[in-house]
Amino acid sequence: MSKAGALDLASGLGGKINKAEVKSAVDEYEKYHGYYGGKEEARKSNYTDMVNKYYDLATSFYEYGWGESFHFAHRWNGESLRESIKRHEHFLGLQLGLKPGMKVLDVGCGIGGPLREIARFSSTSVIGLNNNEYQITRGKELNRLAGVSGTCDFVKADFMKMPFGDNTFDAVYAIEATCHAPDPVGCYKEIYRVLKPGQCFAVYEWCITDHYDPNNATHKRIKDEIELGNGLPDIRSTRQCLQAVKDAGFEVVWDKDLAEDSPLPWYLPLDPSRFSLSSFRLTSVGRMVTRTMVKALEYIGLAPQGSERVSNFLEKAAEGLVEGGKKEIFTPMYFFLARKPLTE
């Protein structure tokens, strides 16, 4: 488990961006988004730049708040957030039927918390695909500290153009990552290509649900806030994602929005009406403390100029996620398991 503290947060702010250029990077990032008048077409055509800027700016905040696994989870009563996150990851391994010795691909792996957990849980070898240099550098260090460098590694590449041969992997999964793709069919086709025939792809997708009304101004604002605070070109519907994976050639084994029957709401860690000491940094009070700390660190020069603005748009995202969850117009865990046919 990552033990990032205040100084780790300050030193990591901006990722691989030169500290003197963080403020201008924030300016450029914000201009991509509808919340500031940006256009979806620009986000899609410049998705590599947009997503890289986002993760350079946001990763240290994520690690400070979430630890090594940057995702939500279906959660049982009496289950801690950390326990639910691990079970959410184990669920993927079980659905994929992972067995010792398999070669697995994690598409959009972050700093590798899930891939380390899944590799240990299933005794498999997992490659994490990521196009952000800072996250890969951080992930390799965490692999070393965890003692899993022999079974877990990273490859820097765009998941729209993977540097792997056809039929390479025994299983592929993605956790809240392919939502960054400008074209879901193109992304799923690449996953299809590198997966062995007869094997499966499992995913948790960020989606808008059937309750979303594009003509509702509140719904549109919530969607814009989530896209701004999470580096997304567009949030697709569950129907669009399901059709996209079929169009890529997969056979869908089953699909479900796992948020629908989660005993505890997935957005609970961010909900301002809830308080927890075990995940204090994620609570509204904890986030307020973090914003105040970042403002002070920026003021005294330990954090680069622009850091407070990153904290602010991440807070805006948290507000949008909670509101979207409560209105049931957004889910971070639309799950589907899809199989590549033995013969095409």
Side-chain angles (χ1 to χ4, degrees):
M1 177 63 65
S2 170
K3 293 182 173 61
L7 292 180
D8 299 299
L9 172 60
S11 64
L13 283 167
K16 291 290 185 179
I17 299 171
N18 185 294
K19 302 305 180 186
E21 298 173 359
V22 167
K23 185 176 180 295
S24 63
V26 176
D27 290 337
E28 293 169 14
Y29 173 77
E30 288 178 339
K31 288 175 183 175
Y32 280 124
H33 289 278
Y35 192 81
Y36 290 97
K39 302 298 183 184
E40 179 184 330
E41 294 75 18
R43 294 194 296 276
K44 287 183 175 180
S45 61
N46 297 285
Y47 77 96
T48 299
D49 179 68
M50 181 189 70
V51 175
N52 259 308
K53 278 190 171 65
Y54 174 74
Y55 279 114
D56 274 331
L57 295 169
T59 293
S60 61
F61 283 97
Y62 273 143
E63 191 174 353
Y64 182 76
W66 287 94
E68 296 177 28
S69 294
F70 307 158
H71 63 81
F72 294 99
H74 175 282
R75 189 171 172 189
W76 295 104
N77 287 309
E79 189 175 40
S80 72
L81 176 61
R82 299 303 177 199
E83 288 169 342
S84 70
I85 284 174
K86 286 191 174 188
R87 182 175 54 76
H88 206 56
E89 294 164 357
H90 295 172
F91 179 81
L92 285 181
L94 292 171
Q95 290 298 310
L96 289 166
L98 299 185
K99 296 178 176 59
M102 279 186 166
K103 187 175 182 181
V104 182
L105 178 66
D106 180 332
V107 177
C109 61
I111 61 173
L115 72 83
R116 284 184 289 277
E117 184 64 33
I118 289 172
R120 289 180 293 213
F121 175 72
S122 60
S123 298
T124 54
S125 297
V126 186
I127 297 291
L129 185 73
N130 192 325
N131 208 21
N132 183 267
E133 184 180 349
Y134 174 70
Q135 287 197 334
I136 288 180
T137 300
R138 183 73 186 123
K140 287 187 173 182
E141 173 63 10
L142 291 170
N143 278 0
R144 184 188 66 79
L145 293 173
V148 297
S149 297
T151 56
C152 299
D153 203 358
F154 297 87
V155 171
K156 185 182 185 304
D158 183 346
F159 54 33
M160 302 297 292
K161 298 172 285 189
M162 298 188 195
F164 307 117
D166 296 354
N167 310 322
T168 296
F169 294 97
D170 298 300
V172 181
Y173 67 85
I175 302 177
E176 302 180 19
T178 46
C179 51
H180 292 292
D183 169 26
V185 177
C187 180
Y188 294 156
K189 279 185 175 180
E190 272 295 270
I191 291 168
Y192 183 97
R193 180 182 67 79
V194 302
L195 182 63
K196 292 179 181 178
Q199 301 304 308
C200 289
F201 165 49
V203 64
Y204 296 125
E205 280 286 7
W206 279 33
C207 293
I208 52 174
T209 71
D210 290 343
H211 296 289
Y212 177 81
D213 178 1
N215 298 312
N216 183 307
T218 299
H219 289 193
K220 180 66 169 61
R221 172 185 57 76
I222 292 169
K223 181 173 179 284
D224 285 346
E225 287 175 351
I226 295 172
E227 288 169 351
L228 165 69
N230 295 279
L232 305 178
D234 182 38
I235 307 176
R236 294 175 279 270
S237 70
T238 54
R239 295 174 187 268
Q240 287 174 314
C241 286
L242 190 62
Q243 187 59 53
V245 79
K246 292 176 180 177
D247 291 344
F250 283 100
E251 299 170 346
V252 176
V253 179
W254 73 282
D255 71 291
K256 182 178 177 61
D257 178 5
L258 299 183
E260 291 177 351
D261 61 0
S262 181
L264 294 177
W266 59 266
Y267 54 82
L268 195 63
L270 303 176
D271 192 336
S273 67
R274 172 256 187 198
F275 182 80
S276 169
L277 286 175
S278 63
S279 53
F280 173 75
R281 291 176 181 179
L282 295 177
T283 65
S284 59
V285 175
R287 299 197 307 271
M288 181 183 68
V289 170
T290 299
R291 291 197 304 277
T292 303
M293 178 182 69
V294 168
K295 183 176 183 177
L297 290 170
E298 183 174 330
Y299 179 78
I300 64 176
L302 286 178
Q305 293 294 308
S307 297
E308 184 185 3
R309 284 170 59 192
V310 177
S311 180
N312 289 340
F313 72 62
L314 291 175
E315 177 60 22
K316 186 62 65 178
E319 293 170 0
L321 288 165
V322 172
E323 196 173 356
K326 287 184 174 180
K327 292 182 180 298
E328 298 182 345
I329 63 172
F330 170 80
T331 177
M333 55 188 71
Y334 175 54
F335 171 84
F336 58 78
L337 180 69
R339 180 179 290 111
K340 180 176 179 175
L342 279 170
T343 56
E344 298 183 40

